[in-house]
Amino acid sequence: MDVRKSLSAGTCATLLAACAGMGGPGGSTPQLVAAKPGMLQVCSDLVEKAAFPGALYTQVTAVPAGKVPVGNASVDAPAHCLVQGRMHERVSAVDGNRYAIGFEMRLPVDWNGRFFYQANGGLDGVVIPAMGGIGGGGPARTALQMGFAVISSDAGHAGSLGPRFGIDPQARLDYGYNAVAQLTPMAKNLIAKAYGRGPDRSYIGGCSNGGRHAMVAAARSARDYDGVLAGDPGYNLPRAAVAQLYGAQQYAKVANVTAGQPDLQSAFTPAEMNFVAQRVLARCDALDGLADGIVSDVKACKTQFDVERDVPACTGARDGQCLTSAQKTVLANVFAGARNSAGKPIYNSFPFDAGISGSNWREWKFVSPPTRDAGAVGFIFATPPMADRPGGLAFALGFDMDKDAPAIEATDPVYRESAMSFMPPPDASNLSTLRNRGAKMIVYHGTSDPVFSSDDTAAWYERLQGANGGDASSFARYFPVPGMNHCAGGPATDQFDMLTALVSWVEQGQAPERVTASARGPGTPAVNTEVPADWSPSRTRPLCPYPQVAVYTGGDAESAASFACRARTP
Ligand SMILES: [Ca+2]
């Protein structure tokens, strides 16, 4: 047996020689011991046996193998024990509403020895069935099917409140970081009582706000998690939400006005965005060695594509084959990143990429600002809440980037932590605790994500590299997903299993050099209608760890085997 596998961070303290260099930039870190399988020993008795301070178990049920309804679909699950409950139920002294951290756990009879915290997205507020979705598009094996014990949570508030849960200061903190902090020890205790031992290895994963939860856990709960999987992380979520309002104000400048209201969707038609995407491809597609509808070298594209220069100006009416001068200015502003009137950045830039033709891109850019972001900023992120203002589009268009945006950094006697304190990971580029324990982190991000910018994630990763002597790849890797919209969709190979790659890295020391992703074209189990018709429906591509990009090396253009992950050319 490899003696290194018996080492943990704890034993390193007494085995200094064996752990020399541990934690230094590029130095070795402890190899965590692989999880061992186990069997569920108790289910219905867990109510008494797994008693935990602050936790109330409302239902404990043995579930036979079969389909579990999840939204409008159903997902296969192995036989498991379902535990539902809530923690820290209370009545708010601020808004009088009842709050609790609702959760469910699904504990498979055949257990792989691991715990998976399923971090959900959006505003949370719903205990989505704890099937353990692993990210990316289409059907993939769930963590529950793989044998993980899985928890899911509403992050401390009921969805019926919408964003108004932000009126309660504690509910803000629960949403930001405290639900994960409270649920994690409760879940590990439940696992210990159910299987006769606690989890050998623990993982947390999610996309969007779930990716943010995972990134926050990497910083705040580094001792509790051995593997972190963060997809399209909104780790600067309050800034991204304000940037959405900035976008609405920009689109309104070129939108048609209907019944006195700008129709944001009309600012750029689907044909116009598809046309811009084609112009991006004309400049950037072949930079990676193959014109295949995928811009792998997004960074190089930033210097190659210029919307002012490379998109023809309309000489007559808008016909989908041009943009007006005003449209170009608006698009350039939005992609350059939200700013205040002094030019001070509020949020990062977005890369131009082929996926800006996607329907999900349109949904987030043009529909979300009044329906999602206005409420999130006004009720959850602003201190004090801007609860007395008109909501929706009026809020988005009336939001002052100079006077109002600083509210996401503000505190007062009722709201003692600002949104920029409780939402992002504190000191996001300092992951020394995670690194020194031997834990690992995988981040992925669609480069055509319209709401959380992959430029922002790349900037975080570059800061992380800087904090680790220029190379963080020994414990954290970032995989851009070309063309992918917010967490899935777009003209992309958006189906992949990074959880298995993460487990191999954490438990076997096999660092992911590349992760194979597949398209979901016609005839595949869950079709992505935005896979271009000239692609093989099951095209594969390697996703490469940043700053490497997938470069074509010859052979079948539809196969990942024809590509290598290489450092991009300067
Ligand atoms: Ca290409």
Side-chain angles (χ1 to χ4, degrees):
M1 180 182 174
D2 181 356
V3 68
R4 289 184 62 230
K5 293 205 170 167
S6 68
L7 291 177
S8 67
T11 58
C12 275
T14 54
L15 293 171
L16 290 173
C19 300
M22 180 189 101
S28 61
T29 51
Q31 173 62 54
L32 297 174
V33 179
K36 294 185 183 65
M39 293 294 288
L40 186 72
Q41 296 177 357
V42 223
C43 183
S44 59
D45 291 347
L46 281 171
V47 173
E48 292 79 28
K49 290 190 171 169
F52 192 83
L56 175 70
Y57 305 125
T58 54
Q59 187 175 355
V60 181
T61 318
V63 180
K67 302 266 186 198
V68 172
V70 180
N72 296 324
S74 62
V75 177
D76 281 318
H80 64 276
C81 182
L82 171 63
V83 181
Q84 295 175 312
R86 52 186 181 266
M87 290 190 79
H88 305 313
E89 188 162 18
R90 64 193 170 83
V91 174
S92 166
V94 178
D95 68 10
N97 287 319
R98 185 172 293 274
Y99 289 89
I101 304 172
F103 68 88
E104 72 168 45
M105 285 198 75
R106 292 181 187 259
L107 305 156
V109 172
D110 288 313
W111 181 46
N112 67 11
R114 303 181 180 102
F115 167 46
F116 184 78
Y117 190 112
Q118 169 186 314
N120 296 318
L123 295 182
D124 283 300
V126 180
V127 181
I128 294 168
M131 309 306 292
I134 62 170
R141 283 198 308 160
T142 67
L144 185 63
Q145 289 166 356
M146 295 177 191
F148 288 77
V150 182
I151 191 170
S152 169
S153 150
D154 61 14
H157 59 271
S160 57
L161 291 171
R164 288 180 177 270
F165 76 83
I167 298 295
D168 179 65
Q170 182 60 44
R172 289 183 174 203
L173 306 187
D174 290 345
Y175 175 62
Y177 60 84
N178 189 52
V180 173
Q182 296 298 321
L183 290 169
T184 298
M186 186 280 302
K188 289 188 176 186
N189 172 69
L190 200 54
I191 288 170
K193 299 302 188 295
Y195 296 102
R197 71 176 209 268
D200 297 327
R201 301 271 73 97
S202 297
Y203 295 82
I204 182 167
C207 199
S208 184
N209 176 52
R212 182 197 64 84
H213 280 304
M215 272 185 84
V216 169
R220 288 187 184 262
S221 307
R223 286 178 180 79
D224 292 328
Y225 289 98
D226 306 307
V228 174
L229 178 57
D232 291 51
Y235 77 100
N236 274 322
L237 212 157
R239 292 184 177 280
V242 172
Q244 287 280 92
L245 307 182
Y246 173 89
Q249 294 171 13
Q250 291 290 317
Y251 310 135
K253 294 179 182 179
V254 291
N256 299 332
V257 176
T258 308
Q261 298 283 328
D263 170 14
L264 301 186
Q265 295 250 23
S266 70
F268 298 90
T269 64
E272 286 169 337
M273 288 313 300
N274 186 54
F275 181 68
V276 176
Q278 295 306 315
R279 303 310 301 165
V280 172
L281 285 170
R283 297 288 302 183
C284 301
D285 191 349
L287 295 173
D288 51 31
L290 185 68
D292 58 351
I294 293 177
V295 177
S296 296
D297 200 341
V298 169
K299 200 164 183 176
C301 189
K302 288 172 96 74
T303 60
Q304 291 290 317
F305 178 78
D306 180 276
V307 67
E308 186 61 45
R309 180 193 64 201
D310 296 325
V311 178
C314 295
T315 52
R318 287 165 56 182
D319 62 358
Q321 302 293 306
C322 62
L323 292 181
T324 67
S325 175
Q327 281 180 302
K328 288 189 186 189
T329 300
V330 164
L331 210 53
N333 284 343
V334 168
F335 275 79
R339 285 153 287 167
N340 68 12
S341 68
K344 184 176 173 228
I346 291 171
Y347 189 56
N348 221 315
S349 57
F350 288 82
F352 278 100
D353 181 50
I356 60 176
S357 59
S359 58
N360 178 263
W361 192 93
R362 297 188 66 78
E363 163 80 20
W364 279 102
K365 290 294 197 196
F366 304 134
V367 179
S368 179
T371 58
R372 291 190 182 102
D373 304 295
V377 171
F379 291 110
I380 309 168
F381 302 144
T383 296
M386 299 169 173
D388 52 355
R389 297 191 186 187
L393 189 60
F395 183 95
L397 299 182
F399 191 85
D400 189 313
M401 294 296 152
D402 296 336
K403 296 194 182 98
D404 292 335
I408 65 173
E409 317 255 12
T411 62
D412 71 12
V414 177
Y415 304 92
R416 296 180 188 182
E417 293 186 42
S418 77
M420 284 307 294
S421 168
F422 65 74
M423 290 298 283
D427 197 8
S429 60
N430 178 2
L431 296 179
S432 55
T433 303
L434 187 90
R435 177 194 66 204
N436 293 349
R437 287 186 58 244
K440 310 294 185 210
M441 182 172 187
I442 290 180
V443 179
Y444 63 86
H445 204 139
T447 55
S448 285
D449 186 327
V451 58
F452 301 144
S453 171
S454 64
D455 280 353
D456 207 37
T457 295
W460 161 77
Y461 192 72
E462 290 178 359
R463 287 195 300 275
L464 187 68
Q465 289 175 308
N468 287 275
D471 184 3
S473 65
S474 66
F475 71 98
R477 297 189 180 198
Y478 162 45
F479 293 83
V481 186
M484 188 170 83
N485 285 192
H486 188 56
C487 295
T493 55
D494 71 347
Q495 190 172 21
F496 44 79
D497 175 3
M498 298 221 183
L499 180 58
T500 299
L502 181 61
V503 169
S504 296
W505 195 10
V506 169
E507 301 185 19
Q508 307 297 334
Q510 296 168 3
E513 306 298 340
R514 54 194 267 161
V515 175
T516 301
S518 304
R520 299 180 288 124
T524 59
V527 173
N528 167 15
T529 58
E530 293 176 353
V531 171
D534 60 351
W535 293 16
S536 159
S538 55
R539 166 183 281 193
T540 56
R541 284 291 182 272
L543 303 176
C544 297
Y546 184 92
Q548 294 180 21
V549 298
V551 173
Y552 181 61
T553 54
D556 179 3
E558 300 300 327
S559 170
S562 306
F563 294 80
C565 291
R566 288 194 181 150
R568 47 182 294 276
T569 48

